[in-house]
Short mmCIF file of all heavy atoms in Angstrom, two decimals:
data_model
loop_
_atom_site.label_atom_id
_atom_site.label_comp_id
_atom_site.label_asym_id
_atom_site.label_seq_id
_atom_site.Cartn_x
_atom_site.Cartn_y
_atom_site.Cartn_z
N GLY A 113 93.12 101.14 129.49
CA GLY A 113 93.72 101.42 128.20
C GLY A 113 94.95 102.27 128.35
O GLY A 113 95.22 102.83 129.42
N LEU A 126 100.93 110.22 117.90
CA LEU A 126 100.64 109.30 116.81
C LEU A 126 99.23 108.70 116.99
O LEU A 126 98.52 108.54 116.01
CB LEU A 126 101.69 108.16 116.78
CG LEU A 126 101.51 107.11 115.70
CD1 LEU A 126 101.64 107.74 114.31
CD2 LEU A 126 102.49 105.98 115.88
N GLN A 130 96.10 108.78 114.32
CA GLN A 130 95.34 107.61 113.90
C GLN A 130 93.86 107.83 114.15
O GLN A 130 93.02 107.43 113.34
CB GLN A 130 95.85 106.37 114.63
CG GLN A 130 97.23 105.92 114.18
CD GLN A 130 97.69 104.65 114.86
OE1 GLN A 130 97.05 104.16 115.76
NE2 GLN A 130 98.82 104.09 114.40
N LEU A 132 92.33 110.71 114.13
CA LEU A 132 91.89 111.63 113.09
C LEU A 132 91.71 110.93 111.76
O LEU A 132 90.76 111.21 111.00
CB LEU A 132 92.90 112.77 112.92
CG LEU A 132 92.84 113.87 114.01
CD1 LEU A 132 94.12 114.74 113.94
CD2 LEU A 132 91.61 114.73 113.85
N LYS A 152 90.25 101.85 98.24
CA LYS A 152 91.62 101.62 98.71
C LYS A 152 91.91 102.40 99.96
O LYS A 152 92.55 101.92 100.91
CB LYS A 152 92.63 101.92 97.61
CG LYS A 152 94.06 101.53 97.91
CD LYS A 152 94.97 101.75 96.73
CE LYS A 152 96.36 101.19 96.98
NZ LYS A 152 97.04 101.75 98.16
N ASN A 166 101.77 100.73 111.71
CA ASN A 166 102.36 101.93 111.18
C ASN A 166 102.65 102.94 112.31
O ASN A 166 101.73 103.40 112.98
CB ASN A 166 101.45 102.56 110.11
CG ASN A 166 102.21 103.50 109.23
OD1 ASN A 166 102.74 104.52 109.70
ND2 ASN A 166 102.28 103.19 107.95
N GLU A 177 95.15 113.34 104.37
CA GLU A 177 95.07 114.50 103.45
C GLU A 177 94.51 114.08 102.12
O GLU A 177 93.80 114.83 101.45
CB GLU A 177 96.47 115.11 103.28
CG GLU A 177 96.94 115.85 104.52
CD GLU A 177 98.43 116.10 104.54
OE1 GLU A 177 99.10 115.74 103.55
OE2 GLU A 177 98.93 116.62 105.57
N VAL A 190 87.92 109.62 115.98
CA VAL A 190 86.99 108.50 116.25
C VAL A 190 86.63 108.41 117.72
O VAL A 190 85.51 108.05 118.08
CB VAL A 190 87.57 107.17 115.71
CG1 VAL A 190 88.81 106.74 116.51
CG2 VAL A 190 86.52 106.07 115.75
N LEU A 202 77.00 100.38 124.95
CA LEU A 202 76.88 100.74 123.51
C LEU A 202 78.22 101.10 122.95
O LEU A 202 78.56 100.70 121.81
CB LEU A 202 75.87 101.89 123.32
CG LEU A 202 74.43 101.59 123.72
CD1 LEU A 202 73.57 102.81 123.50
CD2 LEU A 202 73.87 100.41 122.91
N ARG A 238 82.06 100.07 104.56
CA ARG A 238 81.40 101.38 104.50
C ARG A 238 80.21 101.40 105.49
O ARG A 238 80.05 102.35 106.25
CB ARG A 238 80.86 101.65 103.10
CG ARG A 238 81.94 101.96 102.07
CD ARG A 238 81.28 102.27 100.71
NE ARG A 238 82.28 102.59 99.73
CZ ARG A 238 82.79 103.82 99.54
NH1 ARG A 238 82.38 104.80 100.31
NH2 ARG A 238 83.70 104.01 98.61
N ALA A 247 72.95 106.79 116.49
CA ALA A 247 72.38 106.37 117.76
C ALA A 247 71.67 105.03 117.56
O ALA A 247 70.51 104.98 117.13
CB ALA A 247 71.40 107.44 118.25
N HIS A 302 102.82 89.28 106.35
CA HIS A 302 101.86 88.37 105.78
C HIS A 302 101.79 88.41 104.26
O HIS A 302 101.10 87.58 103.67
CB HIS A 302 100.44 88.64 106.31
CG HIS A 302 100.33 88.70 107.81
ND1 HIS A 302 100.83 89.73 108.57
CD2 HIS A 302 99.74 87.82 108.70
CE1 HIS A 302 100.59 89.48 109.85
NE2 HIS A 302 99.93 88.34 109.94
N ASP A 303 102.41 89.35 103.61
CA ASP A 303 102.17 89.62 102.19
C ASP A 303 102.97 88.67 101.30
O ASP A 303 104.18 88.86 101.09
CB ASP A 303 102.50 91.07 101.85
CG ASP A 303 101.85 91.53 100.55
OD1 ASP A 303 102.09 90.83 99.55
OD2 ASP A 303 101.13 92.51 100.57
N LEU A 304 102.30 87.67 100.75
CA LEU A 304 102.98 86.68 99.91
C LEU A 304 103.48 87.28 98.59
O LEU A 304 104.48 86.82 98.04
CB LEU A 304 102.04 85.51 99.65
CG LEU A 304 101.56 84.73 100.87
CD1 LEU A 304 100.66 83.57 100.45
CD2 LEU A 304 102.73 84.22 101.69
N LYS A 305 102.78 88.29 98.07
CA LYS A 305 103.21 88.89 96.84
C LYS A 305 104.56 89.61 97.01
O LYS A 305 105.42 89.57 96.12
CB LYS A 305 102.18 89.87 96.32
CG LYS A 305 102.50 90.42 94.93
CD LYS A 305 101.41 91.31 94.38
CE LYS A 305 101.76 91.83 93.01
NZ LYS A 305 100.69 92.72 92.45
N THR A 317 121.79 86.14 92.86
CA THR A 317 122.63 87.17 93.48
C THR A 317 123.55 86.61 94.58
O THR A 317 124.40 87.32 95.09
CB THR A 317 121.73 88.26 94.13
OG1 THR A 317 120.94 87.64 95.17
CG2 THR A 317 120.83 88.90 93.09
N GLY A 325 108.23 84.91 111.36
CA GLY A 325 106.88 85.14 111.89
C GLY A 325 105.80 84.53 111.04
O GLY A 325 105.85 83.33 110.67
N LYS A 337 108.49 76.99 96.34
CA LYS A 337 109.48 75.91 96.43
C LYS A 337 110.38 75.88 95.19
O LYS A 337 111.42 75.22 95.23
CB LYS A 337 108.78 74.56 96.61
CG LYS A 337 108.11 74.41 97.95
CD LYS A 337 107.54 73.02 98.13
CE LYS A 337 106.92 72.83 99.51
NZ LYS A 337 106.45 71.47 99.73
N GLY A 347 113.93 82.52 113.26
CA GLY A 347 113.25 83.16 114.40
C GLY A 347 111.84 82.68 114.61
O GLY A 347 111.38 81.69 113.98
N ALA A 411 121.97 96.38 100.21
CA ALA A 411 122.36 96.41 101.62
C ALA A 411 122.76 95.02 102.10
O ALA A 411 123.71 94.91 102.92
CB ALA A 411 121.18 96.93 102.49
N GLY A 459 95.65 81.74 116.70
CA GLY A 459 95.53 83.17 116.99
C GLY A 459 96.89 83.87 117.03
O GLY A 459 97.85 83.46 116.41
N ARG A 467 101.66 84.18 128.67
CA ARG A 467 101.44 83.39 127.47
C ARG A 467 102.23 82.09 127.46
O ARG A 467 102.02 81.24 126.59
CB ARG A 467 101.75 84.24 126.23
CG ARG A 467 100.70 85.31 125.97
CD ARG A 467 101.04 86.15 124.76
NE ARG A 467 100.01 87.16 124.52
CZ ARG A 467 98.99 87.03 123.68
NH1 ARG A 467 98.86 85.91 123.00
NH2 ARG A 467 98.12 87.99 123.52
N THR A 481 95.26 63.49 121.92
CA THR A 481 94.71 64.78 121.48
C THR A 481 95.51 65.34 120.32
O THR A 481 96.73 65.32 120.32
CB THR A 481 94.74 65.80 122.65
OG1 THR A 481 94.06 65.26 123.77
CG2 THR A 481 94.07 67.09 122.22
N CYS A 488 100.56 83.10 114.62
CA CYS A 488 101.87 83.06 115.30
C CYS A 488 101.77 82.55 116.72
O CYS A 488 102.83 82.35 117.39
CB CYS A 488 102.52 84.43 115.26
SG CYS A 488 101.66 85.75 116.13
N LEU A 507 100.37 67.73 116.00
CA LEU A 507 100.36 69.17 115.78
C LEU A 507 100.11 69.40 114.28
O LEU A 507 100.94 69.08 113.43
CB LEU A 507 101.67 69.85 116.21
CG LEU A 507 101.75 71.34 115.98
CD1 LEU A 507 100.66 72.06 116.77
CD2 LEU A 507 103.11 71.89 116.38
N LEU A 537 81.18 67.93 118.11
CA LEU A 537 82.45 67.20 117.94
C LEU A 537 83.28 67.16 119.20
O LEU A 537 83.12 68.07 120.09
CB LEU A 537 83.28 67.88 116.82
CG LEU A 537 82.81 67.76 115.39
CD1 LEU A 537 83.63 68.65 114.49
CD2 LEU A 537 82.88 66.32 114.90
N GLU A 547 95.55 91.24 118.60
CA GLU A 547 95.10 92.47 117.93
C GLU A 547 93.82 92.23 117.15
O GLU A 547 93.08 91.29 117.40
CB GLU A 547 96.22 93.04 117.04
CG GLU A 547 97.06 91.99 116.32
CD GLU A 547 96.44 91.53 115.00
OE1 GLU A 547 95.24 91.64 114.80
OE2 GLU A 547 97.17 91.01 114.15
N LEU A 554 87.40 85.98 115.79
CA LEU A 554 86.47 85.62 116.87
C LEU A 554 85.03 85.88 116.46
O LEU A 554 84.14 85.02 116.63
CB LEU A 554 86.81 86.41 118.13
CG LEU A 554 85.82 86.23 119.31
CD1 LEU A 554 85.86 84.77 119.79
CD2 LEU A 554 86.15 87.17 120.43
N ASN A 592 90.82 81.63 129.39
CA ASN A 592 91.48 80.35 129.42
C ASN A 592 92.09 80.07 130.78
O ASN A 592 92.26 80.97 131.60
CB ASN A 592 92.51 80.22 128.30
CG ASN A 592 93.54 81.32 128.34
OD1 ASN A 592 93.88 81.84 129.39
ND2 ASN A 592 94.08 81.66 127.17
#
Side-chain angles (χ1 to χ4, degrees):
L126 181 64
Q130 290 183 351
L132 282 166
K152 188 175 188 301
N166 200 298
E177 289 162 5
V190 67
L202 296 178
R238 288 182 179 274
H302 306 73
D303 198 305
L304 299 181
K305 187 176 181 180
T317 63
K337 291 184 176 184
R467 288 179 179 265
T481 304
C488 63
L507 179 61
L537 289 172
E547 38 85 337
L554 176 64
N592 56 30

